[in-house]
Amino acid sequence: MKKQVVLYKKLSPTLMTRLEEQAEVTLIDSLDAQGIAKLRAALPRAHGLLGASLKLDAELLDLAPNLQAIASVSVGVDNYDIDYLTERGILLTNTPDVLTETTADTGFALILATARRVVELANIVRAGLWQRNIGSAHFGTDVHGKTLGIIGMGRIGEALAQRGHFGFGMPVIYHSHSPKPAVEQRFGAQYRSLPQLLQEADFVCLTLPLTAETEGLIGAQQFAQMRPETIFINISRGKVVDEKALIEALRSEQIRAAGLDVFEREPLNPDSPLLQLDNVVATPHIGSATHETREAMARCAVENLLAALAGERPANLVNGRAWKA
Ligand code: DGY
């Protein structure tokens, strides 16, 4: 008999066909109150779940006694209680690698947009306010040759370092759990303590996952260590940053600007003070959001789930301890 899969993210026709060849699929096509009610009703018979952008807590998962695997269409796994899943022997998979380059592109888009004030100045043109050559009040700041500071030197951090080093001639400094000799060799990157990096970097870029250890890592004290020229970029998770402290640092010109793809609460409240500030470029969590990459992530998740449900070890298993050969 086919396994039951609850899908809470729409797939392309090709991937839907692939999944339906192997499994009985219930599609939850939105995560509004109605969708969540439908999800709750489907959980008791689910062997597999596939989707993203939903906090799957114990209260919800207790409704799914037959659950064997969850395939998250994301690299970040902060929406899951990994200890709980492991205890229940539920496999959790994610989609690393396929989104690395695209997410690093997003990081660089924010670096360029904030440094060169692209959104602010494009809005002036759009509003019909470009009446003479712009003067120094509207000048930006160079990107090439400036110091790129990366906090969290994982795959995405490396891809950012590659762009900075080879594309823009930027000296790269980084902070992570431990020094990474291979990265130092490839990109001439240099390891720094967190306070040293915050003081030295022209661009402070967060690319690290949200964990109990990284939540609130960047707060008032850390912004105080940056310089008035610092541009702050976050493509990791909003909760790594104390958003109130960030707003204060921007308002008081403790830092120059911020490029933010992630926020403490998403979607960002339209009343957020961040949106009142010209020196903020805010994007709606688009790190991996291209047609090609989102399809590759969905394909990766489908293959992970099908492997898990077939009793094979999935390629991107997050909680290895849940795997019983
Ligand atoms: C990821 O893959 O983790 C992206 O940030 C989307 O959540």
Side-chain angles (χ1 to χ4, degrees):
M1 229 172 46
K2 279 183 172 175
K3 295 275 170 91
Q4 298 285 332
V5 167
V6 176
L7 179 66
Y8 54 98
K9 188 169 193 64
K10 249 184 132 194
L11 296 178
S12 66
T14 315
L15 291 178
M16 196 64 181
T17 305
R18 168 86 180 118
L19 191 59
E20 283 179 327
E21 275 164 11
Q22 308 287 330
E24 202 77 57
V25 180
T26 304
L27 174 64
I28 312 296
D29 49 16
S30 79
L31 291 175
D32 58 10
Q34 226 181 346
I36 295 295
K38 203 174 155 193
L39 175 81
R40 294 177 80 91
L43 282 175
R45 56 178 191 283
H47 299 110
L49 298 180
L50 190 150
S53 314
L54 176 64
K55 192 135 200 106
L56 284 173
D57 56 18
E59 191 272 324
L60 213 49
L61 294 178
D62 282 346
L63 299 172
N66 304 314
L67 193 60
Q68 296 170 358
I70 303 173
S72 186
V73 190
S74 67
V75 68
V77 288
D78 43 292
N79 271 332
Y80 309 91
D81 180 340
I82 295 177
D83 288 339
Y84 166 91
L85 295 178
T86 305
E87 218 171 89
R88 277 194 52 193
I90 298 168
L91 306 182
L92 173 67
T93 66
N94 68 344
T95 60
D97 302 318
V98 290
L99 49 57
T100 299
E101 299 298 329
T102 299
T103 307
D105 286 349
T106 302
F108 240 90
L110 289 174
I111 288 174
L112 290 166
T114 45
R116 301 301 307 273
R117 302 170 63 173
V118 171
V119 177
E120 181 192 350
L121 298 181
N123 283 341
I124 287 179
V125 179
R126 190 176 286 269
L129 299 173
W130 182 30
Q131 280 148 5
R132 61 185 72 86
N133 281 349
I134 65 149
S136 59
H138 289 117
F139 289 172
T141 185
D142 280 342
V143 173
H144 65 272
K146 294 287 179 70
T147 300
L148 178 60
I150 300 175
I151 301 176
M153 190 51 93
R155 299 176 190 88
I156 296 170
E158 275 190 43
L160 207 57
Q162 183 185 29
R163 284 156 177 73
H165 176 66
F166 291 114
F168 290 81
M170 301 170 89
V172 177
I173 56 176
Y174 72 102
H175 178 75
S176 64
H177 273 310
S178 53
K180 308 245 167 146
V183 171
E184 298 187 5
Q185 218 173 12
R186 282 174 65 203
F187 311 122
Q190 291 183 16
Y191 184 84
R192 294 284 188 271
S193 70
L194 184 58
Q196 277 172 332
L197 183 142
L198 298 174
Q199 281 158 29
E200 246 182 83
D202 294 303
F203 296 89
V204 171
C205 305
L206 299 191
T207 65
L208 72 189
L210 174 63
T211 62
E213 211 187 335
T214 64
E215 184 162 357
L217 180 74
I218 306 296
Q221 193 189 338
Q222 287 67 35
F223 286 114
Q225 288 165 341
M226 299 181 200
R227 291 174 289 112
E229 299 79 35
T230 307
I231 293 184
F232 179 73
I233 304 290
N234 191 1
I235 53 169
S236 66
R237 286 293 185 266
K239 287 189 175 146
V240 176
V241 180
D242 174 347
E243 210 162 88
K244 275 207 183 86
L246 168 62
I247 292 164
E248 195 38 47
L250 286 160
R251 276 185 175 150
S252 61
E253 297 178 18
Q254 213 166 27
I255 61 173
R256 186 194 293 266
L260 308 169
D261 189 43
V262 289
F263 304 88
E264 254 175 28
R265 300 187 116 221
E266 295 176 10
L268 182 64
N269 188 327
D271 295 332
S272 167
L274 286 171
L275 301 179
Q276 315 291 319
L277 297 167
D278 282 339
N279 54 349
V280 169
V281 175
T283 50
H285 201 145
I286 57 164
S288 61
T290 65
H291 292 293
E292 301 90 333
T293 295
R294 283 293 168 86
E295 181 66 3
M297 289 167 70
R299 189 178 318 116
C300 177
V302 167
E303 295 309 327
N304 281 330
L305 186 62
L306 290 179
L309 295 182
E312 294 156 19
R313 188 181 169 112
N316 308 114
L317 185 57
V318 172
N319 55 345
R321 285 194 301 120
W323 174 251
K324 294 180 199 79

